[in-house]
Amino acid sequence: MNEKVYIPPIKIQGIKTKLVPLIKDNVLLEKDTIWVEPFMGSGVVGFNIQPNKAIFADTNPHIINFYNSIKENHIDSYMVRNFLEIEGKKLEKKDDEYYYEVRERFNAYHSSLDFLFLNRCCFNGMIRFNKEYKFNVPYGHKPQRFSKAYITKIVNQVKYVEQMIHTSDWEFICQDFEDTIMSVSFQKAFIYCDPPYIGRYVDYYDSWDLKSEERLKELLAKNDNPFMLSTWDYNQYRKNEYIDTLWGFCRKINKEHFYFIGANETNRNQMMEALLVNYPLNMAQNYYSTINEQLKLCIN
Ligand SMILES: C[S@@+](CC[C@H](N)C(=O)[O-])C[C@H]1O[C@@H](n2cnc3c(N)ncnc32)[C@H](O)[C@@H]1O
């Protein structure tokens, strides 16, 4: 059966939409467990898990500001529709000139609505910042991007998350993964980690090296809570050696997944994804069948 996956309004490279069903089937979550996502990115994983209580964190302040703006009622789905209708018309008229005007405006004032606009009409829905903290993704060259149907789709994505945020106990925090993981050392939590893959995407908020990976492993290994780590296993050229070395104490679940990250075909490689967990997998299946009943929420 194909399970419906809710798609969030902000896109990001490395978004785990296709892995959501597999992740859902293998998490270890009880009613009073805090869902902790130190690398939230688009938030697609936690937003589909629908925990009662959650900490969503990321070092990218614009993602966190976007969701806090919804939480604090500074923006809502009505405002989003209005904004995209007006800005979409300007884009249609002035094309790339208008995209770069909004990009400049965003880099000066950091409005969450401008962030959403740019994210939905930039090249490939990417998020990338330079050393001066400036959003520098080029235009996606679709002046008619904000059609009525496309705006409605985005508005529905905002509505869903708005409803979840206002009926759950969810926090959005801009901080490094170390602070997030350490903050739940003495609480009952499930930690889902999806860090940048070493050497794949690098920008000001999104760089990752062996030292970061080692630190993550150290923190997760000494935290008593169950965790799941998303990482890559292999592609046709290389194998992720850290799975057997650094993460050798974990159990592994695999899934093939396509990444569309580049303009040219050679960058679009098939990648075997891995989920690593520190608990026996049969435990997850038992837990999930119970929790699944409690967490059902209608996704329209
Ligand atoms: C691969 S993306 C997460 C994708 C997300 N799971 C999804 O499906 O949309 C990695 C995220 O980690 C964030 N990040 C990078 N370094 C970080 C750090 N040191 N601490 C916390 N977040 C970090 C990036 O800003 C990015 O949003």
Side-chain angles (χ1 to χ4, degrees):
M1 196 176 61
N2 264 347
E3 203 179 330
K4 176 134 190 178
V5 174
Y6 156 76
I7 313 289
I10 301 289
K11 310 267 177 207
I12 192 167
Q13 54 275 27
I15 186 168
K16 293 298 180 295
T17 314
K18 296 213 172 99
L19 290 180
V20 164
L22 188 71
I23 294 172
K24 268 178 107 169
D25 278 350
N26 289 288
V27 295
L28 228 186
L29 204 64
E30 288 176 276
K31 206 175 163 203
D32 55 345
T33 308
I34 310 174
W35 172 264
V36 181
E37 211 173 322
F39 308 87
M40 76 168 285
S42 70
V44 72
V45 178
F47 295 170
N48 278 284
I49 297 284
Q50 304 173 356
N52 292 327
K53 191 171 167 56
I55 297 173
F56 291 98
D58 203 288
T59 42
N60 184 326
H62 306 293
I63 296 176
I64 300 301
N65 285 347
F66 180 82
Y67 289 107
N68 275 330
S69 299
I70 294 180
K71 186 170 170 172
E72 288 152 20
N73 295 314
H74 297 313
I75 61 174
D76 62 25
S77 48
Y78 297 99
M79 285 172 73
V80 165
R81 180 181 292 284
N82 244 330
F83 183 82
L84 293 181
E85 279 175 1
I86 294 169
E87 298 301 297
K89 281 196 187 108
K90 293 184 190 164
L91 184 75
E92 199 173 332
K93 220 164 147 191
K94 289 164 75 184
D95 205 3
D96 52 344
E97 189 191 327
Y98 195 65
Y99 173 83
Y100 290 106
E101 197 178 314
V102 177
R103 198 173 82 170
E104 228 168 83
R105 185 172 77 194
F106 169 74
N107 283 329
Y109 303 108
H110 305 148
S111 142
S112 290
L113 288 172
D114 280 343
F115 183 54
L116 174 68
F117 173 89
L118 293 171
N119 182 252
R120 300 308 290 253
C121 67
C122 70
F123 178 72
N124 263 359
M126 286 182 66
I127 297 186
R128 197 183 59 204
F129 290 80
N130 65 16
K131 279 197 196 110
E132 280 84 44
Y133 303 83
K134 307 273 188 209
F135 182 77
N136 66 356
V137 182
Y139 182 38
H141 292 291
K142 288 185 186 150
Q144 287 167 352
R145 183 64 163 157
F146 294 99
S147 65
K148 223 177 162 128
Y150 192 59
I151 292 178
T152 298
K153 194 168 154 182
I154 300 172
V155 168
N156 286 341
Q157 292 166 349
V158 173
K159 262 188 197 158
Y160 169 88
V161 80
E162 183 174 78
Q163 184 197 351
M164 287 302 306
I165 289 175
H166 292 314
T167 54
S168 319
D169 182 0
W170 288 4
E171 275 187 83
F172 297 91
I173 311 173
C174 182
Q175 65 187 7
D176 190 76
F177 70 92
E178 297 201 25
D179 297 324
T180 310
I181 295 172
M182 273 158 53
S183 73
V184 292
S185 304
F186 301 106
Q187 298 181 70
K188 188 172 166 190
F190 181 87
I191 307 173
Y192 169 69
C193 287
D194 184 15
Y197 294 169
I198 296 180
R200 280 181 67 92
Y201 315 113
V202 178
D203 90 352
Y204 195 77
Y205 299 114
D206 200 15
S207 62
W208 198 255
D209 57 16
L210 180 56
K211 245 179 149 180
S212 324
E213 188 100 357
E214 283 172 345
R215 184 79 188 119
L216 178 63
K217 183 235 138 177
E218 211 176 283
L219 284 166
L220 290 176
K222 74 173 187 220
N223 198 298
D224 284 337
N225 283 305
F227 72 82
M228 178 185 281
L229 173 82
S230 275
T231 189
W232 66 283
D233 198 347
Y234 59 85
N235 62 16
Q236 65 183 115
Y237 308 108
R238 292 188 300 146
K239 174 177 175 317
N240 180 355
E241 61 194 278
Y242 303 117
I243 290 188
D244 295 330
T245 52
L246 263 188
W247 301 103
F249 65 101
C250 294
R251 290 167 180 84
K252 183 171 87 177
I253 311 160
N254 274 124
K255 168 135 175 120
E256 247 167 280
H257 186 56
F258 277 101
Y259 269 113
F260 299 105
I261 51 161
N264 80 44
E265 285 294 319
T266 52
N267 289 340
R268 300 181 172 199
N269 288 328
Q270 191 162 14
M271 165 80 86
M272 180 64 87
E273 295 280 334
L275 298 176
L276 306 179
V277 299
N278 65 340
Y279 48 87
L281 289 167
N282 59 348
M283 266 173 90
Q285 267 125 32
N286 295 342
Y287 271 105
Y288 197 75
S289 51
T290 338
I291 198 77
N292 205 13
E293 292 308 307
Q294 298 158 351
L295 294 178
K296 267 186 196 141
L297 186 129
C298 193
I299 306 174
N300 293 312

